[in-house]
C-alpha cells in the first residue's frame, strides 16, 4: 500500500511525462530487488521457514548481509551511470543508487520475519516506513522534482531498515555474504536468473516502450497498473508469505500442496478480475481526482492490464509450489519462457498499435505463460511422488 500511495502521489504531482521518468527508476529498482531476493531472501524462505530460532538467526545474519551488499554494489553502479547520463533521468538514477542499500535491507527484513512465522513484525516494519513516508513526500512535493520523490521514498525505507535491526536484534554482516552464497548456490543463482527474468522483462519493456512510443507511454502503463494498486498490494503481500506457507504445507501434508497452489492462484485471478470490473465503473471525475492528468491515458488500458494481472495471479500459485519443492530448474525454465513472451508481446504490440497494443500484447503473453507454470508444477509433483528425495535443508 505504501508503494501504491507513492505512485498516486507522484502521478498527481508530476504529470504523465515526469511520472514516466519516475517509473523508469521504479522498474530499475524492481530489477535490483529481484537480484537481492534471488541471492539472499528466496533461499532463506525456502530452507529456513519453520526451523529453530538459532538456525533462523544464523541464516538471517548472512542473508540480510547479502541483501545489503547487493544494494551497496549496484547502488554504486547506478550512481555512476546516473551522473554520467545527466538530465532528469540521470539524476533520478543517481538518487536511486544512493537509496538502494536501505531499500533492499528493508525488504530483507520482510522475508526474514515471514520465514520465522512472525508476520506481525513485517507489518509493523512497513507501518514505520509508511509513517516516515508522509513527511518525506510533503517535502518532495515542495521541491517538485523526480529526484526529490526518489530520495523521499528511499530515505523513509532506510528508516524502516534501521528499525528492522532493533526488531530482530540482528545486525547484518557483509562478511557473511560470501558464505551465504556458497551455501545456497544450488538455489540462489537459479533464482537470481529467474527473478531478473521477471523484472528485467519489465525493464526492457519500459525502456523499449519509451523508445518506440515515448516516455509518456511508460507513465500511462504505470498509471493503469496503479489503478489496480490496492489489489497488487495484496498480491505483493501474499508473495512474501506464499512460499513460506507452501514449504510448511509440504512438510506437514505433502499431498495437499497441489490443492493449496490451485486455490491460491485461482483466488488471486478471480480477485483481479473483480477489481478490474469495478474500475470500469469509475466515473472520469473520480479517476481524475486520483491520478490527475494520467487518468485519461491510463483508463483506456484497464481491460488488458486487468487480464494481465489475472494471468500473473494464476501463475503465482504454481510458482509458489515450485519454490516450495526447491524445483529451481523447472521454475527457472518457466520464468525464462514467461519473460520472453512478456517482452515479445509488450514490444511487438507497441510496434503494431502503440501503448494500447503493448498492453494487450502483455495480457496475452501473461495468460499464456501461466499455463507453462502449471505444467511444470504438475511434472515436479509427479517426480516427487515417484522419487521422494528430501528437498529442504535447515542447517
Amino acid at each position: 500500500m505504501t508503494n501504491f500511495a507513492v505512485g498516486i502521489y507522484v502521478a498527481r504531482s508530476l504529470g504523465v511525462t515526469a511520472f514516466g521518468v519516475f517509473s523508469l527508476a521504479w522498474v530499475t529498482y524492481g530489477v535490483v530487488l529481484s537480484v537481492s531476493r534471488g541471492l539472499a531472501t528466496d533461499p532463506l524462505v525456502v530452507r529456513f521457514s519453520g526451523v529453530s530460532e538459532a538456525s533462523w538467526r544464523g541464516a538471517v545474519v548472512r542473508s540480510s548481509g547479502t541483501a545489503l551488499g547487493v544494494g551497496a554494489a549496484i547502488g554504486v553502479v547506478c550512481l555512476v551511470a546516473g551522473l554520467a547520463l545527466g538530465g532528469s533521468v540521470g539524476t533520478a538514477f543517481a538518487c536511486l543508487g544512493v537509496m538502494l542499500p536501505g531499500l533492499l535491507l528493508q525488504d530483507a527484513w520482510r522475508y526474514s520475519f515471514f520465514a520465522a512465522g512472525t508476520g506481525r513484525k513485517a507489518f509493523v516494519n512497513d507501518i514505520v516506513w509508511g509513517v516516515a513516508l508522509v513527511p518525506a513526500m510533503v517535502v518532495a512535493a515542495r521541491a517538485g522534482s523526480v529526484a526529490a520523490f526518489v530520495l523521499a521514498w528511499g530515505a523513509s525505507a532506510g528508516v524502516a531498515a534501521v528499525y528492522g535491526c532493533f526488531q530482530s536484534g540482528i545486525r547484518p554482516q557483509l562478511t557473511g555474504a560470501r558464505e551465504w552464497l556458497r551455501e545456497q548456490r544450488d538455489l540462489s543463482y537459479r533464482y537470481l536468473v529467474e527473478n531478473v527474468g521477471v523484472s528485467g522483462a519489465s525493464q526492457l519493456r519500459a525502456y523499449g516502450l519509451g523508445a518506440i512510443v515515448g516516455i509518456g507511454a511508460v507513465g500511462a502503463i504505470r498509471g493503469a497498473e496503479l489503478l489496480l494498486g490496492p489489489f497488487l498490494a495484496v498480491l505483493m503481500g501474499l508473495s512474501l508469505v506464499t512460499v513460506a506457507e507452501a514449504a510448511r504445507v509440504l512438510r506437514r501434508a505433502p499431498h495437499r500442496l497441489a490443492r493449496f497452489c490451485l486455490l491460491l492462484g485461482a483466488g488471486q485471478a478471480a480477485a483481479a478480475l473483480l477489481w478490474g470490473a469495478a474500475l470500469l465503473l469509475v466515473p472520469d471525475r473520480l479517476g481524475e481526482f486520483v491520478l490527475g492528468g494520467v487518468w485519461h491515458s491510463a483508463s483506456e488500458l484497464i481491460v488488458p492490464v486487468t487480464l494481465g494481472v489475472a494471468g500473473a495471479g494464476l501463475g503465482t500459485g504454481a510458482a509458489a509450489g515450485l519454490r516450495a519443492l526447491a524445483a529451481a530448474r523447472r521454475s527457472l525454465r518457466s520464468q525464462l519462457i514467461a519473460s520472453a513472451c512478456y517482452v515479445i508481446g509488450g514490444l511487438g504490440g507497441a510496434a503494431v498499435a502503440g501503448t494500447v497494443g503493448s498492453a494487450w500484447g502483455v495480457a496475452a503473453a501473461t495468460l499464456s505463460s501461466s499455463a507453462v507454470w502449471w505444467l511444470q508444477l504438475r511434472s515436479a509433483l509427479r517426480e516427487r511422488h515417484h522419487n521422494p528425495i528430501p528437498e529442504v535443508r535447515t542447517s
Side-chain angles (χ1 to χ4, degrees):
M1 291 302 293
T2 55
N3 290 340
F4 171 66
V6 168
I8 292 294
Y9 196 74
V10 175
R12 285 177 53 84
S13 301
L14 297 181
V16 66
T17 301
F19 184 57
V21 175
F22 182 84
S23 298
L24 290 177
W26 187 283
V27 297
T28 303
Y29 157 71
V31 175
V32 181
L33 184 65
S34 296
V35 173
S36 175
R37 288 178 175 177
L39 294 177
T41 53
D42 282 342
L44 177 74
V45 295
V46 169
R47 286 181 165 153
F48 295 91
S49 294
V51 301
S52 67
E53 183 178 357
S55 179
W56 173 82
R57 291 181 68 85
V60 171
V61 167
R62 302 189 301 278
S63 174
S64 58
T66 303
L68 190 60
V70 169
I74 302 183
V76 171
V77 175
C78 286
L79 177 61
V80 173
L83 293 175
L85 183 61
S88 60
V89 174
T91 304
F93 274 74
C95 294
L96 176 65
V98 174
M99 297 293 107
L100 277 176
L103 284 163
L104 298 191
L105 181 58
Q106 194 276 336
D107 186 73
W109 291 131
R110 286 194 192 116
Y111 276 77
S112 300
F113 292 140
F114 280 117
T118 55
R120 180 175 59 182
K121 290 185 177 180
F123 174 75
V124 172
N125 192 275
D126 274 339
I127 290 294
V128 170
W129 185 3
V131 171
L133 194 60
V134 174
M137 285 287 112
V138 172
V139 173
R142 291 180 179 176
S145 67
V146 175
F149 280 106
V150 173
L151 288 173
W153 166 55
S156 55
V159 172
V162 173
Y163 179 66
C165 296
F166 291 98
Q167 280 182 293
S168 62
I170 293 173
R171 302 294 179 267
Q173 291 184 1
L174 286 170
T175 55
R178 179 178 297 179
E179 180 184 357
W180 176 259
L181 293 174
R182 184 175 64 252
E183 291 174 349
Q184 310 301 328
R185 62 182 179 274
D186 59 323
L187 292 183
S188 61
Y189 293 112
R190 286 193 175 100
Y191 287 159
L192 169 64
V193 176
E194 179 184 334
N195 289 354
V196 171
V198 179
S199 53
S202 298
Q203 188 177 30
L204 286 175
R205 185 229 185 165
Y207 291 170
L209 186 60
I212 295 170
V213 185
I215 296 295
V218 180
I221 291 290
R222 178 60 184 157
E225 293 172 348
L226 277 178
L227 292 174
L228 281 91
F231 171 77
L232 290 174
V234 174
L235 184 63
M236 182 178 293
L238 284 174
S239 70
L240 300 174
V241 182
T242 51
V243 176
E245 289 302 316
R248 291 187 179 96
V249 171
L250 182 62
R251 286 191 179 94
R252 298 170 184 171
H255 61 284
R256 295 181 180 176
L257 180 62
R259 183 172 181 269
F260 171 84
C261 295
L262 180 61
L263 291 175
L264 174 65
Q268 291 179 113
L273 293 174
L274 288 173
W275 185 267
L279 288 175
L280 295 174
L281 304 177
V282 173
D284 287 340
R285 182 178 301 176
L286 179 58
E288 291 172 357
F289 174 78
V290 174
L291 285 182
V294 180
W295 164 255
H296 178 70
S297 54
S299 61
E300 299 176 351
L301 308 175
I302 290 175
V303 172
V305 169
T306 298
L307 291 175
V309 172
L314 184 62
T316 55
L322 288 173
R323 288 288 177 91
L325 289 166
R329 184 174 299 176
R330 290 190 176 278
S331 184
L332 173 59
R333 184 182 304 146
S334 301
Q335 189 55 66
L336 291 177
I337 293 172
S339 297
C341 291
Y342 183 93
V343 173
I344 292 170
L347 297 185
V352 173
T355 309
V356 175
S358 179
W360 278 107
V362 165
T366 307
L367 288 167
S368 301
S369 300
S370 67
V372 176
W373 282 103
W374 282 101
L375 289 172
Q376 291 296 319
L377 177 61
R378 185 178 66 173
S379 298
L381 289 170
R382 286 179 175 175
E383 287 178 358
R384 180 180 175 83
H385 176 71
H386 292 299
N387 187 26
I389 301 173
E391 298 281 359
V392 181
R393 184 171 71 235
T394 60
S395 63

